[in-house]
Amino acid sequence: MRWSQTYIPTLRENQSDAELVSHQLLLRGGYIRKLASGIYLYLPLMQRVIEKFSKIVREEMNAAGGLEITMSVLCPAEVWQKTGRYNTVGKELMKMKDRHDHEMILCGTHEETVTNLIAGEVKSYRQLPLNLYQIQVKFRDEIRPRFGLMRGREFIMKDAYSFDATVESQKESYQKMVDAYFRIFERAGLEVLKVESDSGAMGGSTAHEFMLLVDTNGGEETILHCPSCRYAANEEKAVFKDLNKPEIDSEMKENEVVETPNAASIEEVTEFLKVDATRLVKTLIYMADDKPVAALVRGDRSVNETKLKNAVNAIELESATPAQVEQFTKAPVGFAGPVGLKDLTIVVDPLVAEMKNFVVGANADEKHIINVNFERDFKADKVVDITTAINGDGCHNCDGTMEAKSGIEVGNTFMLGTKYSEALNAKYLDDNGKEHPIIMGSYGIGITRTPQAALEKYFDDHGIIWPVGIAPYLVEIIPLNLDKENIAAASEIIYNDLNEAGFDVLIDDRPERAGVKFNDADLIGMPIRITIGEKSLNDNKIEVKLRSSDEVIKVDVDKIVEHVREVVQTLK
Ligand code: ATP
Ligand code: MG
């Protein structure tokens, strides 16, 4: 491709609305443009990246027995009403009416459509297992679209769905996808960590996420990882052993309301009462599907909202507003406590349940209660783990200590069980003619998110450094001065030879200064740069430089194809 004939609108200046380096680079490199919040247009270079990554995904999915199909984005609400997700997915689901007043949705995922497709058509165990996948646009009205392609409202996903007759066979299907995922990400130049995850709105029990660990601020997810036994889980799900257990009193003491002027936060209360945060209990008020919930965790820990949401079976969970806190506790924020609390669901963490003589808010301004005891002074609707695991917590599996890492979720796999097949009547007959619901799995990969995620790892001060597998072009040729006949002729020959050899080549044929071309080449990040200049050419040489290294190698003009072929083997 010739630069003069394509569209690569690079930008000099940093873009103020891009917080992440990857987002910044895609905008500045002329890869994407924003249309509206969470909605992006993919320009020619991005289109090539998407195609490269999709090709890898297709090849590996096909090799794993997947069959590619395309399902519609628009779907009648009815199918989603049957599984209940029309109401349970929440505001992320885009709902609308067509001209006939039929309720429709824009799919953010396709379990309903695909199950509906096979229900009644796949009848016998002989037709199973089956794996159907697609690479297609998804819509989700994300609460916080941000970070460019990382969290869009419209984005591209590879979604696969497996159908099996037995649990054993479903496990095999699941493992095939896991293996394919590792190959896919490796070919894209990415080392990923498979972690246990919360299955959330998907239903089912076993779920994993594939995380790209990053050192930048681009990681939206926190992962707890035990280096000893390799347990790894998303913070949303991670369980832990508490290594910071405070001493527990042997006797319960009389409780007592005490004045705590100007002390509302945990720090202020520990300071004022001269007690450790591990002797305090935090009471946080949430709204779970519009019903108030009080969540109690030890003073030194935080509430895990995913665990809490699961504990109370809520679809939407939000912190109560200060006004709601006042309404339910009769006190300003900072003084909530479980004693005497009415009309709220009370969820107590096991770390709180084992404490004695602790401090809680008194549901009155500037007052706390000391020597409070669970069961004696208040009861819980549920005692369940709602604490967030943190760096340094003990591993629940072994004696190791867990480390917290930051990562980007690039893909995930879910064992769905029979939630969708039962709701949509997708059944098969076994060899005795007995009917069973089909056992399902679903498997997603972010086709637009993953390449941007890669850029949180592959960049330097000058721009992008694409891994070979998903680079829009492998080689960029920079002729330094196209007015010189010999440079123009040599560039043309090299460009054609590399193209004929099957490499993807971009030639910067613009009448720009060398500096501009070099800056743009660094910014857009093709793995191999070939510079054709007067001086070297007089010796019948051209200069080859990898984007990932500063070293410049001089190569004979007629050896360039061979050289590129060799170099590619050494690149990620
Ligand atoms: P997240 O927790 O990041 O919201 P998710 O659990 O909703 O992701 P899935 O519904 O399983 O993700 O989607 C499969 C894959 O699609 C994800 O692993 C991710 O790579 C990608 N993806 C999900 N939501 C978005 C989005 N809003 N923008 C871009 N890619 C997304
Ligand atoms: Mg999501």
Side-chain angles (χ1 to χ4, degrees):
M1 176 57 76
R2 294 169 202 277
W3 194 304
S4 63
Q5 286 167 25
T6 182
Y7 181 58
I8 311 177
T10 56
L11 304 168
R12 283 282 87 80
E13 303 299 321
N14 262 343
Q15 303 301 297
S16 59
D17 59 344
E19 275 172 67
L20 300 190
V21 64
S22 56
H23 185 190
Q24 192 65 253
L25 291 173
L26 288 181
L27 286 170
R28 285 193 42 211
Y31 283 81
I32 59 169
R33 287 294 181 263
K34 177 169 156 179
L35 175 66
S37 169
I39 305 179
Y40 286 84
L41 313 182
Y42 315 130
L43 305 193
L45 286 182
M46 191 65 213
Q47 190 62 32
R48 290 187 65 92
V49 173
I50 292 171
E51 272 162 26
K52 286 270 169 92
F53 187 47
S54 302
K55 181 167 182 283
I56 296 176
V57 172
R58 273 199 182 94
E59 286 173 3
E60 295 299 339
M61 288 301 297
N62 294 346
L67 302 168
E68 186 169 3
I69 61 172
T70 299
M71 291 181 272
S72 62
V73 177
L74 205 56
C75 173
E78 195 192 337
V79 197
W80 279 63
Q81 279 155 351
K82 281 187 187 158
T83 61
R85 281 212 295 186
Y86 189 70
N87 296 317
T88 57
V89 163
K91 292 182 184 157
E92 250 180 61
L93 184 61
M94 296 278 289
K95 298 177 178 175
M96 66 197 67
K97 276 190 179 166
D98 68 13
R99 61 165 72 195
H100 305 294
D101 231 20
H102 292 149
E103 287 184 287
M104 307 292 285
I105 62 131
L106 292 179
C107 287
T109 176
H110 278 80
E111 282 79 7
E112 278 75 0
T113 306
V114 77
T115 313
N116 190 59
L117 166 74
I118 62 132
E121 296 212 40
V122 171
K123 294 199 172 96
S124 159
Y125 71 97
R126 287 193 201 90
Q127 293 165 281
L128 301 172
L130 187 63
N131 181 314
L132 300 173
Y133 79 94
Q134 64 175 348
I135 295 178
Q136 190 241 24
V137 169
K138 298 277 183 273
F139 291 87
R140 291 183 186 178
D141 207 356
E142 295 273 356
I143 183 166
R144 269 182 288 281
R146 56 179 186 166
F147 301 159
L149 307 186
M150 292 281 201
R151 188 165 294 285
R153 294 197 294 161
E154 178 181 320
F155 57 98
I156 304 175
M157 195 202 285
K158 183 286 299 178
D159 43 328
Y161 305 90
S162 66
F163 304 91
D164 285 275
T166 64
V167 172
E168 295 75 63
S169 156
Q170 138 73 184
K171 279 189 187 151
E172 275 171 38
S173 297
Y174 191 86
Q175 190 57 40
K176 268 193 200 158
M177 286 295 102
V178 168
D179 295 342
Y181 274 31
F182 278 117
R183 283 193 300 273
I184 287 167
F185 292 118
E186 196 195 324
R187 285 180 63 184
L190 305 174
E191 200 183 315
V192 293
L193 184 69
K194 176 181 152 229
V195 313
E196 289 179 19
S197 65
D198 177 61
S199 50
M202 281 294 179
S205 51
T206 301
H208 292 95
E209 288 165 344
F210 290 74
M211 294 285 184
L212 182 69
L213 301 184
V214 293
D215 300 322
T216 57
N217 59 342
E220 277 194 291
E221 311 285 337
T222 301
I223 295 127
L224 276 301
H225 177 240
C226 171
S228 318
C229 71
R230 310 213 161 266
Y231 168 74
N234 191 315
E235 176 190 71
E236 292 181 345
K237 160 109 180 177
V239 286
F240 64 98
K241 260 196 313 238
D242 176 35
L243 302 178
N244 193 24
K245 278 209 192 307
E247 231 177 83
I248 292 172
D249 298 350
S250 49
E251 300 290 314
M252 286 193 216
K253 298 183 188 154
E254 278 300 297
N255 70 31
E256 187 186 334
V257 176
V258 294
E259 300 278 339
T260 50
N262 299 321
S265 71
I266 291 288
E267 295 74 41
E268 288 160 352
V269 178
T270 51
E271 177 77 2
F272 184 83
L273 293 176
K274 304 268 173 288
V275 291
D276 194 76
T278 56
R279 310 270 320 199
L280 256 58
V281 165
K282 278 187 207 170
T283 304
L284 292 148
I285 311 296
Y286 285 89
M287 298 305 295
D289 302 332
D290 302 327
K291 287 197 215 71
V293 170
L296 273 67
V297 292
R298 206 171 64 196
D300 61 325
R301 308 294 309 219
S302 332
V303 172
N304 182 320
E305 295 185 2
T306 305
K307 289 182 182 177
L308 178 63
K309 194 164 147 181
N310 290 338
V312 296
N313 250 322
I315 298 163
E316 307 264 358
L317 183 88
E318 279 171 47
S319 288
T321 61
Q324 285 169 324
V325 172
E326 285 215 45
Q327 180 195 339
F328 294 115
T329 69
K330 314 278 181 289
V333 173
F335 300 96
V339 181
L341 212 51
K342 280 196 199 81
D343 307 325
L344 283 86
T345 304
I346 298 183
V347 183
V348 170
D349 188 86
L351 295 185
V352 170
E354 68 189 21
M355 290 165 73
K356 275 209 181 89
N357 303 327
F358 48 88
V359 180
V360 300
N363 299 324
D365 196 10
E366 312 219 308
K367 288 189 176 62
H368 279 78
I369 314 180
I370 59 170
N371 298 327
V372 171
N373 286 283
F374 176 51
E375 297 289 8
R376 183 192 72 182
D377 302 329
F378 68 97
K379 302 252 186 291
D381 293 286
K382 237 177 203 166
V383 178
V384 56
D385 172 24
I386 49 165
T387 295
T388 303
I390 52 170
N391 191 47
D393 271 336
C395 175
H396 79 298
N397 250 352
C398 72
D399 288 333
T401 304
M402 299 198 289
E403 289 168 7
K405 302 198 158 148
S406 153
I408 301 167
E409 178 196 323
V410 286
N412 58 26
T413 51
F414 294 97
M415 282 194 190
L416 295 175
T418 56
K419 168 173 167 174
Y420 298 93
S421 49
E422 282 186 62
L424 294 162
N425 217 16
K427 300 202 169 127
Y428 73 93
L429 297 173
D430 67 16
D431 51 0
N432 297 317
K434 204 167 163 255
E435 208 175 53
H436 306 273
I438 297 176
I439 303 172
M440 290 177 56
S442 86
Y443 316 90
I445 288 183
I447 298 291
T448 39
R449 179 188 285 182
T450 303
Q452 188 183 324
L455 300 190
E456 288 293 313
K457 283 200 98 75
Y458 296 116
F459 68 94
D460 65 13
D461 289 347
H462 305 290
I464 295 171
I465 309 174
W466 282 113
V468 168
I470 53 175
Y473 295 95
L474 175 70
V475 182
E476 178 173 341
I477 301 174
I478 302 186
L480 288 186
N481 184 351
L482 280 169
D483 292 341
K484 301 261 180 212
E485 233 168 78
N486 60 336
I487 294 185
S491 304
E492 207 55 26
I493 291 172
I494 291 164
Y495 175 64
N496 288 329
D497 285 355
L498 286 170
N499 268 319
E500 266 166 41
F503 297 116
D504 293 322
V505 191
L506 175 69
I507 183 165
D508 191 347
D509 60 346
R510 296 175 298 172
E512 290 283 0
R513 283 181 296 113
V516 171
K517 292 189 181 187
F518 285 137
N519 283 344
D520 273 344
D522 279 349
L523 177 60
I524 68 173
M526 303 317 142
I528 302 173
R529 186 178 87 191
I530 294 177
T531 309
I532 305 176
E534 180 99 73
K535 242 164 97 197
S536 309
L537 205 54
N538 287 340
D539 300 334
N540 211 25
K541 303 253 186 212
I542 51 177
E543 293 180 354
V544 179
K545 184 188 158 301
L546 299 184
R547 178 64 184 85
S548 56
S549 137
D550 288 331
E551 197 187 354
V552 175
I553 300 173
K554 293 199 175 184
V555 178
D556 286 346
V557 172
D558 55 355
K559 297 263 164 55
I560 187 65
V561 172
E562 215 178 297
H563 182 78
V564 167
R565 206 170 272 139
E566 276 166 26
V567 166
V568 171
Q569 301 303 323
T570 67
L571 291 174
K572 244 209 231 177

